[in-house]
Amino acid sequence: MNIDLLVHGGDVLTVDEAGTVVRDGAVAVHEGEIVAVGPAEELTTRFTATESIDASGCLVLPGLINTHTHLAMTLLRGRADDVTLQGFLERVLKWEAELLTPKNVAAAVRLAVAESVRAGVTSALDMYWFHEAAEQAAREAGWRLHTGPTFMDVPEPPDRIAYEDRLDWARRDLAARGEARPGLRPILFAHSTYTLAPDQLGEIAALAREFGALLHIHAAENPTEVATVEVKYGKRPVELLDSLGLLGPDLLLAHAVDLTGPEIAALARTGTSVAHCPVSNLKLGCGIAPVPRLLSAGVTVGLGTDGAVSSNTLDVLGVVRQAALVHKAGGDPTAVGAEQAVRMATIEGARALGLGDHLGSLEAGKRADLVVLDLNAPHLRPLHDPWSTLAYAAHGADVRDTVVDGRVLMRNRTLGTLDEEAVLAELEALA
C-alpha cells in the first residue's frame, strides 16, 4: 500500500490505554491520518511511503497539547515578571490596549508557533484577541490551533468590539466556519467570572451550546480572584459557574488553583475539565492547584503553559516536569507520577478539549500529530523507562522532528514551514 509518510526505527510510545511501547516501531501515515502502528520490520514491508523519517535512536510520541495559552503574548515576554496576578493584569491589559493589532498578533503567533514546533507542541488552545489573525498565521505554518472569539467586558477592548456587539460577531464567526476539520472543533472563550457578569456568561454559554462549541474560561486562579467574585456575587467562581448551569463536559477551566472539596466534587459530577498551568501559577504566586485530588475524583486534567508573559516559555515538556514534581512537595512522591504527567500533556489534554477520539495518542484512525525526540544525548541515557525520561530528563530542545496532521513541520531541527530568521526579525522590530 502506498502512503504519505512512514516514521520508523525508534521506540514508539503510543500513550494508548495500555501504555504500549513498540520497540523498534513505526507509524504509518496517509492523508493526515495514522493508518497503522507496529513493528518497523512489519510496516516497512507492508507500506511504500512517499516520505520517511528514520527515528533510530529516538523516541516517537504523540504531539504535545497546550491546553491553555495566550500565544501572541510572546510580544510581551519578560515585561511583567515578579508581580502578583492582579499586578500582572493591570500591566498587561494596558499594554494590550495600546499594542495589539491583527498584524502584531500574527507576527507574535508566528514566533509562538516556531517556539512550539521546536518544543514538540503540535497544538494549543489559544485565548486571545484577533483570533482570526492568529488562525491564519497558524494555518500558513501547518500548525493545529484551537481558537475562536473571546469575550471580556472591558472599557476598551483591543479589537474595539463592544460586548453588546460581540454575540452577533461571534455567531457570524462560528457560522462561517462550517463543518469542523478532523482534530478541530468550535471554540468560545469567556475570560473570567470577574470580567463578565452572570447574565453575560449565560449568553455566551448559550451561544456555545448552539454551535456545539467548547467553552474555555479562567477560574479560581488565586485567592484574591476568588474573594473578589465572592464579594461581588455571593459565590466563589466555580460555585457561580455551577449555579448558572455552565459546568459540564463542554467547559474547560484554566488554572483551578483555589478549590474547595465540594467544588472538586462538582467538577467531577458534571464532567468539567481543567487546564493545569503549574509554571505560571508558581511564578505569579497563585499557589498549587489540587491536581492529585482532582485526578482522584475523576476530573480530566490537561496541561497548559499560559502566556509567555506569565510563564516566559511555551515549552510543554517543562510543564510536564513541573507537574510531576510540584505535587510531591506535600510529601507524597506518587502524587503525580511520570506517566500521569506525560498523559496530561497528550491524551488527557486531548480529552479536555473534547478531541480524545482524534488526538493525543498514536493509534490507527487518529490524526498524525507526532514528535521524534532524539535520545542521543548524555542526559537522556540510559533509557530504562520512556515515561520517566520524558517527565524528568527531556527538554523541548531534544525534539528533532515535529509532524502535524501528517505534514513534517520540523525535520532534523530545521523548521520547514516558517522562515525562522524572518519571524525573529519581525518580532524584534515590533518589540
Side-chain angles (χ1 to χ4, degrees), residues 48-303:
T48 301
T50 302
E51 187 176 12
S52 66
I53 294 176
D54 184 348
S56 300
C58 300
L59 184 65
V60 183
L61 64 144
L64 304 173
I65 299 172
N66 189 344
T67 57
H68 178 68
T69 189
H70 315 286
L71 292 175
M73 279 188 171
T74 51
L75 181 62
L76 301 171
R77 193 189 327 247
R79 289 194 63 181
D81 293 336
D82 307 323
V83 293
T84 64
L85 171 62
Q86 281 64 40
F88 167 86
L89 290 171
E90 287 174 10
R91 295 186 188 189
V92 169
L93 291 176
K94 177 178 180 293
W95 291 332
E96 287 175 339
E98 295 173 353
L99 297 174
L100 294 187
T101 65
K103 179 181 177 182
N104 290 356
V105 165
V109 167
R110 279 190 283 271
L111 181 74
V113 171
E115 179 181 353
S116 298
V117 169
R118 283 202 166 281
V121 181
T122 54
S123 67
L125 182 62
D126 180 40
M127 176 194 288
Y128 214 52
W129 306 103
F130 300 112
H131 71 279
E132 306 96 329
E135 219 164 9
Q136 182 175 344
R139 190 182 304 114
E140 289 171 353
W143 196 66
R144 192 181 303 281
L145 182 64
H146 311 281
T147 193
T150 292
F151 290 82
M152 184 178 184
D153 194 9
V154 292
E156 293 186 22
D159 59 11
R160 302 298 187 264
I161 303 174
Y163 178 82
E164 294 74 26
D165 302 316
R166 295 189 84 81
L167 284 170
D168 286 340
W169 163 75
R171 179 174 281 104
R172 290 193 301 271
D173 181 277
L174 293 172
R177 291 170 181 271
E179 189 173 342
R181 291 186 293 125
L184 294 169
R185 66 175 299 190
I187 312 281
L188 278 180
F189 299 92
H191 181 268
S192 64
T193 56
Y194 59 89
T195 60
L196 291 161
D199 60 331
Q200 294 173 327
L201 290 168
E203 291 173 338
I204 298 163
L207 181 61
R209 286 191 287 269
E210 180 183 336
F211 285 90
L214 176 73
L215 181 59
H216 186 40
I217 186 170
H218 296 93
E221 189 169 355
N222 78 348
T224 302
E225 175 210 322
V226 172
T228 299
V229 174
E230 192 167 21
V231 167
K232 195 170 184 179
Y233 300 116
K235 290 182 172 64
R236 295 162 53 90
V238 173
E239 289 176 336
L240 179 61
L241 293 170
D242 195 14
S243 71
L244 294 170
L246 268 65
L247 297 187
D250 289 324
L251 183 70
L252 173 59
L253 305 183
H255 303 298
V257 172
D258 192 322
L259 298 177
T260 64
E263 288 170 344
I264 292 172
L267 298 182
R269 168 176 51 80
T270 57
T272 305
S273 299
V274 167
H276 177 37
C277 305
V279 174
S280 174
N281 294 157
L282 288 172
K283 185 164 175 279
L284 290 170
C286 293
I288 301 172
V291 168
R293 292 167 62 198
L294 288 166
L295 295 174
S296 293
V299 176
T300 297
V301 180
L303 294 181

Side-chain angles (χ1 to χ4, degrees), residues 308-331:
V309 185
S310 62
S311 68
N312 297 68
T313 176
L314 301 175
D315 182 2
V316 172
L317 271 179
V319 178
V320 169
R321 181 178 298 105
Q322 193 64 258
L325 292 175
V326 71
H327 301 287
K328 303 182 194 309

Side-chain angles (χ1 to χ4, degrees), residues 13 15 59 61-65 301 303 316-317 319-321 323-324 336-349 360 386-392:
L13 181 64
V15 194
L59 184 65
L61 64 144
L64 304 173
I65 299 172
V301 180
L303 294 181
V316 172
L317 271 179
V319 178
V320 169
R321 181 178 298 105
V336 174
E339 179 174 346
Q340 181 65 63
V342 173
R343 285 185 175 278
M344 287 194 289
T346 51
I347 186 60
E348 297 305 318
W387 304 102
S388 171
T389 296
L390 286 171
Y392 300 124

